[in-house]
Amino acid sequence: MTPEEISQAVHIRPTKEMLDEKMMKIIDIRTEMEWQQTGIVPGSVCITFFDDFGNYDVDKFLEEYNKVADKDELVGLICRTGSRTRMVTNFLRQNGYNAVNLDGGIFHLNGIGYELAPYEPSE
């Protein structure tokens, strides 16, 4: 898939090649505990959407998102299985963002043998 084809999709299964070739910016919306437990896609940006209790702050998320990506920039959203990112992707696209859900999430990447990087919190 090309970045243009990816941009036309709403939900895609990520491949090693897609991530290795950095066809899009990756934003990981999981919690810090999840990042620490499994690691993250190398080069991804970590911005929590839902907290440990399922609460969220859309304005805070968008503020952080807009610091790292423009509305028209292709961004792949990832979580553990793709459920949370499915909701967030739909919201972002309805609001003019060029976001796609990386369906299957970290669970899928583990299944295809994709090597994750350790999470290192930024101070």
Side-chain angles (χ1 to χ4, degrees):
M1 281 186 115
T2 66
E4 293 76 26
E5 292 170 325
I6 294 168
S7 183
Q8 297 303 311
V10 178
H11 310 286
I12 59 168
R13 282 277 182 179
T15 64
K16 291 178 185 180
E17 295 76 24
M18 190 183 294
L19 299 174
D20 289 344
E21 293 175 19
K22 300 192 182 330
M23 293 184 172
M24 69 195 91
K25 181 168 281 181
I26 307 294
I27 294 181
D28 190 325
I29 70 163
R30 298 176 300 149
T31 64
E32 185 170 7
M33 182 183 292
E34 290 175 291
W35 302 326
Q36 291 171 345
Q37 289 172 342
T38 63
I40 60 172
V41 172
S44 63
V45 177
C46 299
I47 306 173
T48 297
F49 189 87
F50 295 100
D51 68 16
D52 292 330
F53 305 103
N55 301 312
Y56 57 91
D57 181 336
V58 171
D59 293 332
K60 182 179 176 186
F61 177 79
L62 288 177
E63 181 181 327
E64 294 302 313
Y65 184 109
N66 290 325
K67 287 179 185 177
V68 298
D70 296 325
K71 270 183 121 171
D72 60 348
E73 184 176 355
L74 179 59
V75 173
L77 299 177
I78 195 162
C79 66
R80 187 171 61 88
T81 64
S83 296
R84 288 173 281 182
T85 50
R86 180 174 297 273
M87 291 181 277
V88 176
T89 298
N90 289 336
F91 166 78
L92 289 171
R93 289 180 73 97
Q94 289 169 0
N95 286 280
Y97 287 83
N98 189 13
V100 295
N101 172 33
L102 299 180
D103 199 29
I106 295 294
F107 185 76
H108 167 71
L109 294 181
N110 282 332
I112 63 171
Y114 187 78
E115 189 172 336
L116 299 172
Y119 169 69
E120 296 178 14
S122 57
E123 296 299 317

